[in-house]
Amino acid sequence: MASGAKKPNRNPDLSGFTPAGGGLIDKQQLDEARRRADKTSGIAMLVIGIFATITSMTSFTENALAMQYSQLFAQYGISPYVRPAALPALSMVGIIAHPALYATTLYLVLLRWKRNKRAMWLIVIGAILGMGLTFLLVTIGISLHPELIAAAQSGMLPGTPATP
């Protein structure tokens, strides 16, 4: 290519493009189709989200948490499990925070849909925040058990007997 030659246009003007079905692409119809697809996939994700929220809530009951952590104690071969005093508070935070996050996400999504805007990205962010919340609460729960932290720091693998 000569130094003064014009580069070819890699982004051609498709405003006059006629699709195979005939007729021009109507921007309003395209936007409406995108909003319909957003609502359809959004409703599906919200239904999945309600089941995930219920599952998270049931896994954060005090008895469920105690059972999960006592199984970790058994896997590491640590002394008998004793519930920490802060476990009921952690359980309550998990039971309240998950549906509150879902309700907030649902409210924001409905507001955007009412304004005829796409909102699927809000649902994805809500799901990521929900997973982060679960990870945070489980991590806090593990930190309530110094025996588990000591076993993990010592390099003990689950199933190996504890050394005296």
Side-chain angles (χ1 to χ4, degrees), residues 65-88:
L65 286 175
M67 188 170 69
Q68 292 168 18
Y69 294 125
S70 68
Q71 287 176 352
L72 280 174
F73 268 62
Q75 284 178 353
Y76 279 101
I78 305 173
S79 62
Y81 177 75
V82 177
R83 288 186 187 193
L87 197 63

Side-chain angles (χ1 to χ4, degrees), residues 69 72-73 76 78 81 84 138-157:
Y69 294 125
L72 280 174
F73 268 62
Y76 279 101
I78 305 173
Y81 177 75
V138 168
T139 303
I140 291 171
I142 289 173
S143 71
L144 294 176
H145 300 87
E147 301 92 342
L148 284 176
I149 295 171
Q153 287 176 342
S154 72
M156 184 188 335
L157 297 173

